[in-house]
Amino acid sequence: MNKVFLSCAEAVADVPDGAVIMIGGFGGAGGMPQCLIQALREQGAKNLTIISNTGGLAGFGALSGSVTITHNVLIESGQVRKVVASFPVSASPSRPNAFEVLYRQGKVELELVPQGTLAERIRAGGAGIPAFYTPTGVGTAVAQGKETRVFYGQECVLEHALKADYAFLRANRADTTGNLAYKGTSRNFSPLMATAARVTVAEVDEILESGCIDPEVVATPGIYVKRLVKR
Amino acid sequence: MPERLNREAIAMRVAKELPDGAYVNLGIGIPTLVSQFVPEGRTVAYHSENGLLRYGPLAAPGQEDIDLINAGGQFLLPVPGMAFFNSAEAFAMIRGGHIDVTVLGAFQVSERGDLANWMLSSRGVGNIGGAMDLAAGAKRVIVAMEHTDPLGNPKIVRECSYPLTGQHCVSLIITDVAVIEVGAAGLRLREIAPGWTPEAIQEITEPRLAVADNVKEITL
């Protein structure tokens, strides 16, 4: 089965209104599927739910003078109904991102999740674990209304797995079977998201013939990847 | 009022708490400064929740690599012995009890060691990032902060009024005027900045401080 798509537009063409989309990366330029995001902006799907570490930041982890496209552009364009994130707003209150502006206007919803719980919920979603207990967040706003239970003297809160219709990732390189290798700190959420979506789309710097990535460095095995596109 | 320590001096005092060989996660703000001041002869391995263990100094302009950043979005230089991993593993290290010390900033710390550091109530929305996992999972949580807020209100309080990051998680508070231990019996004043008295520190601290018998002047 051919996984290689010739353009990002083609790779995101079937995203329907109301889709749940995981977006990889930590928030900065590295690991951010910038071309897929731009293509989705042009494609125009609405009422999206975005699951990502941030709420779309401009300038975080970006080289000075360069423009990083993040899911900020999908929020700005009004395509997003809900954001699931650990770091939704800019570090500086005086420079609000598009998410914060629309959130204050009641135009976008937020599910705020501690970062480790977010990672584990996505991991669980891809691994067939429906829910798990964690000590993170006990006694705080994120535990409100959730079941708690004491294990070995420690109170824990029940958190549910996250799944998505699509995951958009950026990896360093792929082979035609869909195996992915990442670079440096740009791995973060991407290998987890690849497992938790019905359709995982990877934007990569290069697509190699099968066998050209050392099996020892494959961080996302091709079984999880449906579509590849060279950026 | 006697002088208070500046941010660098707070970071220097914090650095003395990091044992040789420790795995350490530094938060944003004063905690970020700590790595510059680790006493000679000690090696500390830094963990960053974006999937990085052992990192070196910040990259100078022109040397930046978008694939090598810390959790604050700053560009780093590669160092020998570094390791990359995914976010689930980064937080398994934290929750699994493998991180010896985390140093975090705070809006408030309560007398029971509750920590509030993720949202100013006035903003109505905030970033949790990795703070709740670090508060719940690191073996030792050190708070580095100014003793009072910009309006002069105590930041060490009986009950946090800001939204909590974690309950009963802080073990040591290092401020611009004092070093305070959080124990089962409450807060214990261990060190004071030059020129300060335990009484003057009590005046800007809401809960009662027990004063250690051998209370010392902070040295850097």
Side-chain angles (χ1 to χ4, degrees):
Chain A
M1 188 193 130
N2 178 37
K3 296 182 175 182
V4 180
F5 281 60
L6 295 177
S7 70
C8 287
E10 204 186 324
V12 306
D14 64 356
V15 174
D17 288 352
V20 177
I21 304 176
M22 291 176 173
I23 293 184
F26 197 73
M32 185 61 65
Q34 302 190 50
C35 300
L36 291 169
I37 292 170
Q38 185 60 40
L40 186 61
R41 163 119 187 205
E42 284 154 20
Q43 190 260 26
K46 291 184 196 55
N47 284 321
L48 303 173
T49 295
I50 299 292
I51 302 172
S52 195
N53 186 40
T54 74
L57 304 175
F60 178 92
L63 298 170
S64 59
S66 76
V67 177
T68 304
I69 293 167
T70 74
H71 41 296
N72 199 35
V73 302
L74 301 173
I75 294 167
E76 258 168 12
S77 60
Q79 288 170 266
V80 177
R81 180 183 69 79
K82 181 178 175 185
V83 168
V84 182
S86 86
F87 206 96
V89 295
S90 91
S92 152
S94 58
R95 285 182 284 118
N97 59 354
F99 168 80
E100 185 169 358
V101 172
L102 294 180
Y103 178 75
R104 287 189 193 292
Q105 294 170 1
K107 289 182 180 157
V108 57
E109 276 176 62
L110 172 63
E111 182 178 341
L112 185 61
V113 185
Q115 197 172 109
T117 299
L118 183 62
E120 195 64 14
R121 287 176 68 189
I122 296 166
R123 196 196 71 77
I129 304 289
F132 57 91
Y133 281 99
T134 174
T136 300
V138 166
T140 76
V142 302
Q144 269 168 23
K146 293 177 184 166
E147 285 179 52
T148 60
R149 189 170 155 182
V150 175
F151 294 90
Y152 311 107
Q154 185 175 40
E155 191 177 347
C156 294
V157 57
L158 185 67
E159 294 283 1
H160 287 80
L162 282 170
K163 289 190 184 193
D165 299 311
Y166 293 82
F168 289 179
L169 317 175
R170 177 173 173 187
N172 177 246
R173 56 199 196 280
D175 70 19
T176 51
T177 72
N179 290 326
L180 303 179
Y182 302 88
K183 226 182 128 197
T185 50
S186 294
R187 185 181 309 197
N188 52 67
F189 285 90
S190 299
L192 311 170
M193 290 177 172
T195 70
R198 197 171 48 76
V199 179
T200 290
V201 189
E203 168 185 331
V204 298
D205 291 351
E206 49 180 344
I207 301 175
L208 306 166
E209 286 308 309
S210 173
C212 290
I213 298 180
D214 180 353
E216 302 277 4
V217 306
V218 171
T220 293
I223 188 171
Y224 300 120
V225 180
K226 294 279 197 303
R227 300 177 187 174
L228 294 168
V229 60
K230 186 173 171 339
R231 68 192 315 269
Chain B
M1 277 285 193
E3 268 199 50
R4 297 183 177 210
L5 305 180
N6 63 23
R7 292 159 63 86
E8 284 72 21
I10 299 173
M12 279 185 209
R13 177 60 192 82
V14 172
K16 291 172 66 178
E17 294 293 320
L18 306 181
D20 187 37
Y23 288 92
V24 175
N25 185 297
L26 301 177
I28 294 169
I30 298 172
T32 307
L33 305 172
V34 171
S35 64
Q36 304 168 41
F37 302 116
V38 173
E40 217 157 304
R42 291 190 209 174
T43 308
V44 170
Y46 297 104
H47 168 275
S48 190
E49 53 268 43
N50 57 326
L52 172 61
L53 200 56
R54 288 188 194 278
Y55 58 80
L58 296 182
Q63 296 178 312
E64 302 102 329
D65 173 359
I66 60 166
D67 297 314
L68 189 48
I69 64 169
N70 63 21
Q74 296 171 302
F75 295 101
L76 302 170
L77 291 178
V79 289
M82 68 199 302
F84 303 122
F85 34 85
N86 71 46
S87 295
E89 183 152 13
F91 283 91
M93 288 178 194
I94 294 171
R95 261 189 264 97
H98 307 283
I99 300 299
D100 298 301
V101 182
T102 186
V103 185
L104 300 172
F107 295 132
Q108 291 175 325
V109 180
S110 83
E111 63 183 325
R112 287 179 312 281
D114 296 343
L115 170 67
N117 78 348
W118 70 272
M119 183 167 83
L120 283 167
S121 310
S122 56
R123 190 174 184 186
V125 60
N127 294 318
I128 295 174
M132 285 192 184
D133 299 283
L134 285 162
K139 283 195 238 170
R140 186 159 195 246
V141 177
I142 298 176
V143 163
M145 65 176 189
E146 274 98 19
H147 205 90
T148 52
D149 73 13
L151 299 173
N153 300 308
K155 293 174 70 169
I156 302 173
V157 293
R158 277 186 209 101
E159 211 53 76
C160 294
S161 57
Y162 288 100
L164 288 190
T165 307
Q167 289 178 315
H168 318 304
C169 56
V170 177
S171 351
L172 190 71
I173 310 168
I174 298 180
T175 76
D176 48 4
V177 295
V179 177
I180 295 169
E181 221 167 54
V182 186
L187 302 176
R188 197 173 146 82
L189 181 61
R190 258 179 39 188
E191 296 175 30
I192 57 180
W196 285 77
T197 62
E199 295 73 28
I201 288 163
Q202 179 66 73
E203 257 176 56
I204 53 172
T205 308
E206 199 182 78
R208 203 189 65 82
L209 296 173
V211 180
D213 294 338
N214 54 346
V215 67
K216 293 188 300 197
E217 191 168 276
I218 295 177
T219 54
L220 302 176

